[in-house]
């Protein structure tokens, strides 16, 4: 029987929208779009792409830590970027810096807007807990 492990930050958006940050089912962890929320659930750095990207990666690390995983176990990611042409180089630089030599499958989508005013980046990803850390 497959067990399920749910992870939440306990921020209002989770109950307001009816979702979890991540769900582990079997060996895979499916992670909802991460963005620049602070520890208390407040949205940080409206309009600042570099700062939002850094905080988003920090939140991705929080999910990885919860499941005892590393970045090397991320098998795929989807990035949603406002003003992609303007932010493409920073997106690539941030991704290379975050993953180092690891190369997960990746899709980058340019979008006109995201959920919160001033939100410019969101990243969802999948973790395979059976891969070497």
């Amino acid at each position: 029987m497959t067990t399920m492990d749910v992870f939440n930050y306990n921020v209002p958006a989770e109950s307001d929208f009816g979702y979890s940050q991540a769900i582990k089912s079997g060996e895979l962890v499916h992670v909802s779009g991460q963005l620049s929320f602070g520890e208390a659930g407040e949205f940080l750095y409206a309009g600042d792409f570099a700062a939002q990207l850094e905080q988003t990666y920090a939140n991705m690390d929080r999910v990885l830590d919860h499941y005892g995983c590393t970045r090397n176990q991320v098998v795929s990611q989807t990035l949603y970027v406002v003003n992609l042409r303007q932010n493409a180089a920073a997106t690539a630089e941030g991704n290379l810096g975050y993953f180092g030599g690891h190369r997960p499958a990746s899709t980058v989508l340019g979008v006109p807007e995201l959920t919160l005013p001033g939100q410019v980046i969101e990243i969802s990803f999948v973790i395979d807990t059976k891969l070497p850390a």
Side-chain angles (χ1 to χ4, degrees):
M1 181 166 105
T2 300
T3 60
M4 198 166 65
D5 176 7
V6 177
F7 172 70
N8 285 303
Y9 296 135
N10 297 315
V11 297
E14 293 164 350
S15 59
D16 293 348
F17 286 93
Y19 74 97
S20 293
Q21 296 296 328
I23 294 179
K24 180 180 180 193
S25 177
E27 305 305 331
L28 296 179
V29 180
H30 298 270
V31 184
S32 295
Q34 298 298 292
L35 53 136
S36 60
F37 277 125
E39 292 284 333
E42 73 282 18
F43 177 65
L44 302 172
Y45 314 117
D48 185 335
F49 188 84
Q52 282 189 40
L53 188 59
E54 182 177 338
Q55 183 64 47
T56 299
Y57 284 136
N59 289 341
M60 290 172 65
D61 283 341
R62 287 173 62 191
V63 175
L64 290 167
D65 289 346
H66 173 80
Y67 289 104
C69 294
T70 71
R71 298 169 186 183
N72 291 330
Q73 293 167 289
V74 174
V75 293
S76 69
Q77 65 175 341
T78 303
L79 296 87
Y80 303 90
V81 180
V82 174
N83 297 321
L84 179 57
R85 288 190 180 133
Q86 174 185 333
N87 293 312
T91 300
E93 182 180 327
N95 193 62
L96 289 167
Y98 183 75
F99 285 108
H102 179 60
R103 298 288 185 265
S106 184
T107 300
V108 181
L109 301 167
V111 296
E113 64 182 6
L114 291 163
T115 304
L116 301 172
Q119 182 186 353
V120 292
I121 182 79
E122 187 165 327
I123 305 172
S124 63
F125 58 107
V126 177
I127 305 163
D128 185 337
T129 61
K130 281 296 193 186
L131 290 176

